[in-house]
Amino acid sequence: MEGPYGVGMGQNNKPALWLYETKERPAHLHLAFTAEGRKQVDEFYRAAMAAGGKDNGAPGLRPHYHANYYGAFVIDPDGHNVEAVCHKPEA
């Protein structure tokens, strides 16, 4: 996939890696990990917060991405945005 947001690479039009240009040095990363279910997203968020992460978006639906996008975002100690996301409907 290509667009003003960058270039996404992956199988079946589902990018697993996104690249985009930034002038930020060093560039901060956004790492997203696919969760098997929404409970796993919740567990990721609780563990990350307990380990000293900074909230960047509590677990919840993000319908502006798509109807079943359930994610949580945490800033790690190095300033990187780490996400856990489940794309499946609630079980």
Side-chain angles (χ1 to χ4, degrees):
M1 299 177 84
E2 291 185 47
Y5 45 79
V7 177
M9 295 173 275
Q11 295 179 329
N12 302 318
N13 289 324
K14 293 185 180 181
L17 175 65
W18 286 95
L19 301 173
Y20 64 94
E21 184 176 1
T22 181
K23 301 207 184 305
E24 183 180 359
R25 299 288 185 261
H28 286 101
L29 300 175
H30 177 172
L31 302 170
F33 298 95
T34 302
E36 289 298 317
R38 294 179 183 191
K39 180 180 177 193
Q40 199 172 41
V41 172
D42 298 340
E43 291 168 352
F44 153 81
Y45 181 80
R46 280 194 299 274
M49 295 302 288
K54 179 182 169 190
D55 174 52
N56 197 32
L61 287 170
R62 305 299 195 280
H64 54 285
Y65 295 134
H66 67 72
N68 292 314
Y69 196 109
Y70 187 89
F73 304 83
V74 177
I75 302 296
D76 78 4
D78 294 322
H80 303 299
N81 184 26
V82 184
E83 171 187 5
V85 59
C86 176
H87 297 283
K88 301 173 186 175
E90 189 168 21

